[in-house]
Amino acid sequence: MPALDEFVREELEKIHNRAGYRALSTSYRQENNRVARDEQELISFACNDYLGLSHHPHVKEAAQQAILYYGAGAGASRMVTGNHPLYSELEKKLAAYKGTESACVMGSGYLANIGVIPALMGEKDLIIADKLIHACLLDGIRLSGATLLRFPHNNSAACEKLLHKHRANYRNCLIVTETIFSMDGDLAPIAELSQLAKNHKCWLLVDDAHGIGEVETGKIDIIVGTLSKAFGSYGGYICGSNLLIDYLRNSARSFIFSTALPPMVIASALAALDIMKEDTNLAAKALANAKLFTSLLGIEAAQSTIVPLIIGEAEKTLAASQKLEQEGFFVAAIRPPTVPPNTSRLRFTFSSQHKQKDIERLAEAIKQGGW
Ligand SMILES: *Cc1c(COP(=O)(O)O)cnc(C)c1O
């Protein structure tokens, strides 16, 4: 057996060799998508703070007030003494917002997914999932021990074929997809999948982490979401029926065995939700900004606030992102294992706070770069 450092040195080398090494850079996020990094100020097209709410004065004030009144941390899991009254207020409002009976706030979107799936699915069960679902959904599926089958991205006909062929061999079956795909920015055929779930006696779980508003689709049994993106805060949640949520509170291990979010996080999410409900222009503006970008580049119109520009090779993608950084733009280079091999991409995210002239300059820089 090699010494531990010996072992990890070799593993790191493998990561370097496939151009997959990631170094953490210190960033200061400021208002209006500006990021200060290495004494340079960049305009970020890489944050998931789609509505600029992480820096909204009301959101910041709500967090400050909550710290003053309730302190910094929650002190224990929600099962013990961490269940601050702000939780039920947020859960009621989230359920109403997503159109379900009930909701349960979790530590993060990741913790929500690795909690809900194993709570519902086991070894006798089947999970049928889109090929491109997020890593934490896959982790939840692995933890559940259920059989996983995958259909090509957004191909509900292929999903139906799998159901015809395999559904009868299993006890319960769950179809898993996302509303908006995190690395592609396209939308799932939720209404079709919802119909399939109904026809084949399955449940449907949809991850709405990148949603910037209400989910307006067919019947969804389980909606998972995050407070860490458009809400500008931190945390996750699950929306569903009263019975489902009651059951999850008693069975999702990532809910039971992890400390509650601090009250100030819940307070800021509540403030953010109020703003999202009041000012629907914010979501419309974020989407319009993404569409402005795709029209300037003459590429397929953005379906969401996420726009990928596929480059292919990891090294080339990294070089493109570095070149854009020199021009004052922060854009994420997304590489395997986050995306399939040879589909490395620049991933642009747009917010309501981006300025038209900056989007125009960005599009110009991309044309100059020839990507
Ligand atoms: C970001 C993301 C998550 C994880 O949410 P966190 O709150 O950041 O843990 C889950 N699913 C999808 C699709 C995501 O993009």
Side-chain angles (χ1 to χ4, degrees):
M1 196 170 105
L4 179 59
D5 274 354
E6 206 64 31
F7 173 75
V8 294
R9 197 194 331 273
E10 276 171 27
E11 293 301 311
L12 274 169
E13 247 164 50
K14 288 182 206 163
I15 296 172
H16 275 294
N17 290 343
R18 56 172 188 261
Y21 185 78
R22 301 156 195 229
L24 288 169
S25 308
T26 305
S27 308
Y28 295 93
R29 283 187 62 241
Q30 298 159 346
E31 278 172 83
N32 297 325
N33 302 299
R34 286 171 304 124
V35 173
R37 169 180 271 204
D38 301 334
E39 295 175 23
Q40 196 187 357
E41 188 176 286
L42 303 167
I43 297 166
S44 169
F45 288 90
C47 298
N48 302 319
D49 184 15
Y50 300 115
L51 309 177
L53 296 181
S54 71
H55 279 77
H56 193 289
H58 292 176
V59 174
K60 292 200 284 194
E61 199 187 314
Q64 281 170 332
Q65 290 297 322
I67 292 176
L68 283 178
Y69 287 129
Y70 312 124
S77 88
R78 290 184 61 189
M79 289 291 171
V80 185
T81 57
N83 195 37
H84 195 277
L86 285 170
Y87 265 103
S88 68
E89 192 184 338
L90 178 59
E91 287 173 342
K92 274 200 199 98
K93 287 185 172 172
L94 277 173
Y97 193 53
K98 297 288 172 181
T100 60
E101 284 178 0
S102 192
C104 179
V105 169
M106 311 276 290
S108 70
Y110 193 112
L111 288 170
N113 278 328
I114 66 165
V116 62
I117 298 174
L120 294 171
M121 306 305 283
E123 279 167 11
K124 294 184 182 136
D125 302 323
L126 174 64
I127 298 176
I128 300 187
D130 189 283
K131 187 76 189 146
L132 295 186
I133 55 168
H134 192 269
C136 66
L137 287 162
L138 283 175
D139 291 349
I141 293 168
R142 281 195 200 118
L143 277 173
S144 77
T147 299
L148 170 64
L149 297 173
R150 305 178 78 175
F151 57 88
H153 181 48
N154 278 347
N155 188 336
S156 34
C159 174
E160 187 171 19
K161 269 194 196 147
L162 290 175
L163 284 164
H164 272 299
K165 195 158 170 216
H166 302 279
R167 170 68 187 94
N169 302 330
Y170 295 87
R171 184 181 61 174
N172 298 326
C173 177
L174 179 71
I175 300 175
V176 176
T177 191
E178 298 179 11
T179 51
I180 296 163
F181 279 83
S182 56
M183 296 300 141
D184 294 75
D186 55 355
L187 313 184
I190 302 288
E192 284 170 41
L193 293 174
S194 169
Q195 191 59 45
L196 283 180
K198 198 167 159 222
N199 296 349
H200 293 265
K201 294 197 167 46
C202 307
W203 305 317
L204 176 64
L205 182 153
V206 169
D207 185 335
D208 187 40
H210 292 279
I212 52 173
E214 288 148 90
V215 183
E216 29 170 327
T217 38
K219 186 179 167 341
I220 302 170
D221 299 290
I222 309 156
I223 302 171
V224 179
T226 178
L227 303 172
S228 325
K229 290 170 181 163
F231 282 79
S233 179
Y234 189 70
Y237 61 87
I238 300 162
C239 290
S241 69
N242 284 327
L243 277 171
L244 172 75
I245 298 303
D246 193 22
Y247 170 70
L248 291 176
R249 289 193 177 128
N250 286 279
S251 57
R253 294 172 63 81
S254 58
F255 175 80
I256 299 169
F257 298 108
S258 187
T259 299
L261 290 166
M264 63 126 180
V265 171
I266 306 300
S268 61
L270 267 167
L273 182 54
D274 282 345
I275 296 162
M276 285 161 88
K277 283 194 295 199
E278 265 161 37
D279 190 355
T280 48
N281 282 334
L282 283 177
K285 184 77 199 315
L287 188 58
N289 279 339
K291 286 188 169 160
L292 168 65
F293 176 71
T294 51
S295 81
L296 287 169
L297 285 186
I299 59 177
E300 196 190 331
Q303 294 178 41
S304 72
T305 51
I306 302 167
V307 178
L309 197 63
I310 311 259
I311 294 196
E313 280 173 37
E315 290 90 341
K316 265 194 192 163
T317 310
L318 201 55
S321 149
Q322 282 160 355
K323 184 80 196 344
L324 287 173
E325 187 163 327
Q326 284 163 15
E327 316 238 341
F329 302 109
F330 185 70
V331 177
I334 309 284
R335 295 161 279 160
T338 308
V339 292
N342 301 316
T343 69
S344 288
R345 66 199 66 189
L346 295 172
R347 173 182 181 268
F348 303 88
T349 55
F350 291 87
S351 97
S352 54
Q353 308 306 102
H354 280 121
K355 301 204 170 60
Q356 181 170 341
K357 71 168 188 349
D358 292 326
I359 298 171
E360 286 167 354
R361 283 202 305 121
L362 173 68
E364 202 43 51
I366 289 162
K367 286 185 194 163
Q368 294 294 326
W371 300 300

